[in-house]
Amino acid sequence: MTVCAIEKTTAAPFTIAADGSYAARLAGDGEARFPERWTLTGPEPYAVPLPLAQPEEADSEVLPLADGRVLIHRRVAERHGFALLYPTGGGTAGAGPRTGELELGAIAPQDDPGAGDGTADGVRVTLLPPSPDGRGAFALAVGAAATTVWQVAGTPFGPERVARIPGRCSGGVWLDRTGRLLALDRELDGPRGPMTKAVVVDLERAGEVSPLLQIAEGSDDRLLLADPDSGLLLIRSDAPGEPRLGWGVLGSARPVRFPECLRAVGAAATPFAVQPGQVLMPEHCGVALRVDEAGDGYGGDVAGLALWRPADRHVFRLGAPAGWLGGTGRWSPQGRLHLPYATPEVPCGVLGMNIPVSPPPPVRLDPIPLPPAPKPLARPVPLQQAPLG
């Protein structure tokens, strides 16, 4: 394993497809931004720029599909537009960009009944993580009183509303491999103020909502990450009296656990990758966390790296590679973590590392009991001193 010094990382989001085949980011600086697709299969990763005639805005979002196309979300005036980008493989100097674009349609604020005042400022639209099937793509439109889930790619006639959830939702974690069950953190107003609980949205049953996390009656319980193979859930909750990282198992009757070793890395640490393929063995899944510290780097901080397994009582604190992209990465089923990075010397690179072997638990040695003291030998009494009778 290579342990790197803590280095400056790149804050621009870097999104990896659900199957790990492709990734995408918004590359460039200032006003000269363009989508970039990474191919992660094969012996070495490589990047393909996807520029168009006009540079992209800094708040545009990109998401890779399993077929190699890249979805882009742009805010255009009062609408949120979506398109698929792909390399055409042709073009000559002066002939324009070598990027194809397929418009998918747009979402307008008035299309969403939860948008509040019906203006672009009254609804926030963001892309959800890549769908597990690799073909569709979804967006979350959060209004003042309700949240709408839109399918923006993989539909025949443009963006399609698939669920409407009362309350203000955030996050977004897929709980299965088919793209049916989506977990969201829903905020509702209560008698003691806003409260956030994770819920499950069934996209194949008209957006039916059911509770997922109910750790304590008045606690804020958020789902950060999940692994469909093992059922491992990574959670942030203030049920223990302060915000803490914890873990549980989907469908299990056992309570959520809040290990002390995770408390040491801080509640602000963010899990970003879970080792797949550990069926029925959630305790053995490797978990990678981004730990932000004071300095210049990701989000104005230095992004450190922490590795952990639920079965262990130890967290490994490591340095992040120079140019680490977006604080993201991906585990292989064999337990190797891959971290994307870009530097002037290596514009497209992936660093691999294994989780270190956890130190053995301390051995407690009980003191060896001493043998009982021997009884004093009886001294023979002379006959003249022997008691009479």
Side-chain angles (χ1 to χ4, degrees), residues 153-168:
T155 60
F157 304 110
E160 178 181 329
R161 187 187 297 112
V162 293
R164 185 174 183 270
I165 306 102
R168 300 169 294 277

Side-chain angles (χ1 to χ4, degrees), residues 53-202:
Q54 296 292 329
E56 303 294 344
E57 297 292 336
D59 61 352
S60 297
E61 295 180 289
V62 291
L63 182 146
L65 301 183
D67 61 6
R69 294 181 296 178
V70 174
L71 174 74
I72 186 166
H73 162 221
R74 308 180 181 102
R75 179 168 172 171
V76 182
E78 298 294 316
R79 302 170 66 84
H80 294 266
F82 302 90
L84 289 175
L85 307 179
Y86 52 93
T88 61
T92 57
R98 295 180 298 173
T99 302
E101 181 176 16
L102 175 63
E103 297 285 349
L104 298 178
I107 298 173
Q110 57 269 25
D111 295 336
D112 193 332
D117 58 7
T119 67
D121 293 332
V123 59
R124 184 178 71 257
V125 179
T126 57
L127 292 178
L128 286 166
S131 174
D133 64 8
R135 300 186 302 273
F138 297 81
L140 202 64
V142 184
T147 300
T148 303
V149 179
W150 292 84
Q151 184 170 357
V152 296
T155 60
F157 304 110
E160 178 181 329
R161 187 187 297 112
V162 293
R164 185 174 183 270
I165 306 102
R168 300 169 294 277
C169 295
S170 59
V173 177
W174 296 100
L175 299 179
D176 63 348
R177 294 292 183 192
T178 64
R180 172 180 176 176
L181 300 178
L182 173 66
L184 296 171
D185 300 328
R186 180 172 66 173
E187 180 186 84
L188 293 174
D189 294 325
R192 300 179 182 177
M195 185 171 59
T196 302
K197 299 284 187 183
V199 297
V200 180
V201 182
D202 191 333

Side-chain angles (χ1 to χ4, degrees), residues 87-342:
T88 61
T92 57
R98 295 180 298 173
T99 302
E101 181 176 16
L102 175 63
E103 297 285 349
L104 298 178
I107 298 173
Q110 57 269 25
D111 295 336
D112 193 332
D117 58 7
T119 67
D121 293 332
V123 59
R124 184 178 71 257
V125 179
T126 57
L127 292 178
L128 286 166
S131 174
D133 64 8
R135 300 186 302 273
F138 297 81
L140 202 64
V142 184
T147 300
T148 303
V149 179
W150 292 84
Q151 184 170 357
V152 296
T155 60
F157 304 110
E160 178 181 329
R161 187 187 297 112
V162 293
R164 185 174 183 270
I165 306 102
R168 300 169 294 277
C169 295
S170 59
V173 177
W174 296 100
L175 299 179
D176 63 348
R177 294 292 183 192
T178 64
R180 172 180 176 176
L181 300 178
L182 173 66
L184 296 171
D185 300 328
R186 180 172 66 173
E187 180 186 84
L188 293 174
D189 294 325
R192 300 179 182 177
M195 185 171 59
T196 302
K197 299 284 187 183
V199 297
V200 180
V201 182
D202 191 333
L203 300 183
E204 290 188 3
R205 301 187 65 176
E208 181 180 274
V209 179
S210 57
L212 177 63
L213 295 178
Q214 298 280 351
I215 301 176
E217 183 178 353
S219 61
D220 290 330
D221 309 322
R222 293 176 170 85
L223 180 64
L224 305 179
L225 209 57
D227 174 57
D229 296 332
S230 63
L232 178 64
L233 305 178
L234 280 304
I235 296 157
R236 180 178 287 122
S237 172
D238 60 3
E242 61 179 349
R244 293 273 300 274
L245 290 176
W247 70 280
V249 180
L250 184 64
S252 172
R254 299 185 63 183
V256 174
R257 279 143 282 186
F258 296 92
E260 283 297 319
C261 61
L262 289 181
R263 186 179 189 180
V265 301
T270 305
F272 62 86
V274 178
Q275 180 184 354
Q278 308 301 301
V279 180
L280 302 179
M281 296 190 298
E283 296 88 353
H284 298 280
C285 291
V287 179
L289 305 98
R290 190 188 72 239
V291 184
D292 293 342
E293 300 173 346
D296 295 327
Y298 186 88
D301 299 322
V302 170
L305 178 67
L307 303 181
W308 168 75
R309 281 194 184 100
D312 299 335
R313 296 183 179 181
H314 184 80
V315 175
F316 295 94
R317 295 290 298 270
L318 308 173
W324 186 21
L325 292 174
T328 58
R330 178 178 173 83
W331 286 96
S332 72
Q334 294 74 31
R336 190 160 179 81
L337 178 65
H338 302 274
L339 303 176
Y341 68 95

